[in-house]
């Protein structure tokens, strides 16, 4: 059975993520121990709420450096929701806050209006996943087996990741004419703005693929 160490820094849907991992056929272990993170086969970084409390708490608990060190091992690393946003250089939510810098880019607000029209913020609900322009598909990624435009996942967010390199965008979701960055991929790191643990069969497939990495 594949074991997933979930980084427990006190913020995130820890128990719903744990249950989803177990439903996918894995063993979930919550950990706030740097040594356990270093020895893990794969880790999951969760996060909910505002960016600054998440990144500050991750650092205050002494877990930011172990997470960075794990990322450098090349072993499978999954980020979810604000756990995805923390991987970027910085966020502009309530001021500028520095992130982990694992994926070059930043986090910015979803515009309430633009040339495409107006939209309610936050973006809450189910949205189909789409293949970004320039990407051939999702073979050999955590979205292997998903159907573009059909497979839907659940979102709750007001801020959106903006990778410096568009090739890092693994999936998008259209939100009233705005292309949400739904997932990113860089080397051994994959992260989702949506919540796989709340996304039914599509989310379960993502977690099953992660367990097979």
């Amino acid at each position: 059975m594949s074991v997933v160490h979930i980084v427990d820094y006190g913020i995130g849907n820890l128990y719903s993520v744990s249950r989803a991992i177990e439903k996918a056929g894995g063993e979930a272990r919550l950990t706030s121990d740097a040594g356990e993170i270093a020895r893990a086969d794969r880790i999951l970084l969760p996060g909910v709420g505002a960016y600054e409390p998440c990144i500050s708490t991750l650092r205050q608990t002494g877990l930011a450096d172990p997470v960075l060190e794990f990322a450098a091992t090349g072993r499978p690393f999954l980020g979810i929701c604000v756990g995805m946003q923390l991987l970027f250089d910085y966020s502009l939510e309530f001021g500028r806050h520095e992130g982990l810098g694992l994926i070059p880019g930043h986090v910015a607000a979803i515009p309430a209006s633009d040339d495409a029209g107006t939209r309610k913020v936050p973006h809450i609900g189910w949205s189909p996943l789409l293949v970004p322009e320039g990407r051939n598909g999702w073979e050999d990624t955590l979205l292997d087996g998903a159907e573009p435009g059909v497979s839907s996942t659940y979102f709750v967010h007001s801020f959106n990741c903006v990778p410096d390199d568009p090739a890092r965008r693994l999936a998008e979701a259209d939100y009233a004419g705005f292309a949400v960055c739904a997932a990113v991929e860089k080397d051994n790191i994959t992260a989702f703005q949506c919540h796989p643990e709340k996304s039914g069969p599509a989310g379960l497939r993502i977690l099953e693929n992660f367990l097979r990495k």
Side-chain angles (χ1 to χ4, degrees), residues 44-188:
L44 189 155
L45 180 64
V48 295
Y51 187 98
E52 192 280 330
C54 287
I55 191 64
S56 292
T57 304
L58 188 68
R59 290 188 171 119
Q60 289 164 6
T61 55
L63 296 179
D65 285 342
V67 166
L68 289 170
E69 289 163 8
F70 179 90
T73 68
R75 297 196 293 270
F77 183 132
L78 177 62
I80 293 179
C81 196
V82 180
M84 167 175 166
Q85 296 178 10
L86 299 181
L87 304 179
F88 284 75
D89 292 325
Y90 64 93
S91 172
L92 297 174
E93 183 176 5
F94 304 119
R96 175 170 170 144
H97 305 285
E98 303 303 312
L100 297 175
L102 290 169
I103 299 177
H106 67 282
V107 181
I110 296 173
S113 63
D114 54 23
D115 291 344
T118 60
R119 60 191 63 85
K120 291 182 180 180
V121 178
H123 169 212
I124 301 176
W126 294 80
S127 294
L129 297 178
L130 306 170
V131 178
E133 184 178 354
R135 178 176 283 274
N136 293 326
W138 292 323
E139 187 177 359
D140 296 326
T141 74
L142 295 197
L143 285 172
D144 201 342
E147 296 183 65
V150 176
S151 297
S152 292
T153 55
Y154 188 75
F155 293 81
V156 183
H157 65 122
S158 299
F159 283 75
N160 177 64
C161 295
V162 185
D164 287 349
D165 183 356
R168 299 299 177 204
R169 295 170 76 100
L170 176 62
E172 295 178 347
D174 178 74
Y175 182 49
F178 178 76
V180 167
C181 183
V184 291
E185 182 183 58
K186 180 178 183 288
D187 302 325
N188 57 312

